[in-house]
Amino acid sequence: MFDYTPCPGLLQGRVILITGAGDGIGRACALSCAAHGASVVLVGRTLSKLETVYDQIEAAGHPQPAICPLNLETAIEKDYNDLADQLFDTFGKLDGLVHNAALLGPRTLMDSVKTDAWLQLMQVNVNAPFVLTKAMMPLLRAAEDASVVFVSSSVGRKGRAYWGPYAVSKFAIEGLMQVLADEQDGTSAIRANSINPGATRTAMRAKAYPSEAPESNPEPADIMPVFLYLLGADSKHINGQALDAQ
Ligand code: NAP
């Protein structure tokens, strides 16, 4: 596991937006960021799941979160700009942006992938992070020290047979991360990095490996050290890096 011990108030005063915050790794990230003092902006497509996370954060007495239901498959640029306006009015800045939501999509021979499924997956896994990042740049620039985190995968760093558009989409976000990081290097206080979570006990993992015993993998909460590291001030000097959670 990534070796980092966060101090309790690591993210005090920070505002952190997480996509896919209603379940799996995104949910754990929201809970963990809130527990370390951040005001979290919960973005996802299933309102009831976001509400459950919201209630858990409130019950624990952590900073009040914000709920922003958004379907990354159907959202248009205006929706992202409206979200940015809302966040400007409420917080005036954004210290962390975690691109976590993703689809697994078809895992089959490349020539068997249906074009519609390819386009749907690219919309959620690649186009949405691009438009969301673009919309959030003014808010990220308004923060003293801002961190953009792209949740990647081992198949986004080395291609693997039958992983289809999912693998290609993860290569694309690694590319988006690298270009953004290089552009901001030395010119702003924004850094961008990626995390490969490694095998983690979630619905996506169960779908990808139906015959695997879920208990053989760590829980999402177990892989949070690297997320906290990248979202806090201890990683100020880290930019353009591809990190592993495990
Ligand atoms: P998960 O349990 O399937 O959670 C994915 C989250 O993304 C869910 O909250 C889901 O919302 C949300 N989402 C999906 N489509 C969306 C859309 N169109 N609009 C808004 N939100 C949407 O997956 P996970 O395992 O936590 O994966 C999180 C990230 O880690 C992904 O980027 C994945 O590629 C990466 N990853 C995971 C593993 C692993 O072993 N788990 C390994 C490598 C990489 P709903 O709850 O409404 O469905």
Side-chain angles (χ1 to χ4, degrees):
M1 211 54 74
F2 187 84
D3 186 21
Y4 176 67
T5 307
C7 67
L10 178 79
L11 305 177
Q12 207 84 50
R14 289 188 186 236
V15 182
I16 297 175
L17 185 157
I18 300 139
T19 66
D23 213 338
I25 293 168
R27 174 177 170 276
C29 185
L31 295 173
S32 191
C33 288
H36 286 83
S39 300
V40 290
V41 180
L42 309 170
V43 172
R45 65 180 169 182
T46 309
L47 181 61
S48 57
K49 289 188 182 182
L50 300 178
E51 285 172 342
T52 303
V53 178
Y54 181 102
D55 290 346
Q56 255 182 292
I57 292 171
E58 246 206 347
H62 302 318
Q64 191 183 17
I67 289 190
C68 302
L70 195 66
N71 186 335
L72 303 183
E73 192 182 328
T74 52
I76 57 170
E77 190 150 20
K78 183 179 181 305
D79 299 323
Y80 295 97
N81 291 334
D82 288 350
L83 175 59
D85 288 345
Q86 235 177 293
L87 297 181
F88 244 123
D89 291 345
T90 313
F91 301 109
K93 62 160 187 171
L94 187 65
D95 306 272
L97 172 57
V98 183
H99 294 293
N100 163 80
L103 292 178
L104 179 64
R107 282 165 318 111
T108 176
L109 275 176
M110 204 53 100
D111 52 301
S112 303
V113 174
K114 293 206 167 58
T115 304
D116 282 354
W118 175 281
L119 294 173
Q120 178 199 29
L121 188 138
M122 290 300 163
Q123 187 62 26
V124 174
N125 293 15
V126 181
N127 299 345
F130 159 67
V131 186
L132 179 59
T133 303
K134 203 174 143 190
M136 294 299 143
M137 283 306 278
L139 278 155
L140 292 164
R141 286 199 185 96
E144 227 172 80
D145 154 36
S147 174
V148 184
V149 174
F150 293 87
V151 181
S152 184
S153 167
S154 52
V155 296
R157 295 180 182 166
K158 175 146 187 9
R160 198 184 303 159
Y162 315 122
W163 278 79
Y166 176 82
V168 178
S169 76
K170 294 300 186 183
F171 269 90
I173 61 149
E174 292 280 358
L176 181 52
M177 177 280 281
Q178 288 183 18
V179 172
L180 182 66
D182 203 38
E183 283 173 0
Q184 300 306 312
D185 194 35
T187 65
S188 82
I190 302 172
R191 60 192 186 282
N193 298 282
S194 73
I195 296 174
N196 168 23
T200 310
R201 202 182 312 170
T202 67
M204 185 186 284
R205 179 75 193 181
K207 196 171 169 192
Y209 294 89
S211 59
E212 182 181 75
E215 317 78 70
S216 60
N217 295 316
E219 303 235 37
D222 300 330
I223 64 160
M224 285 304 120
V226 69
F227 285 81
L228 294 168
Y229 173 66
L230 283 183
L231 290 166
D234 290 331
S235 61
K236 259 184 180 170
H237 56 292
I238 304 292
N239 189 31
Q241 301 295 306
L243 302 184
D244 292 323
Q246 304 184 40

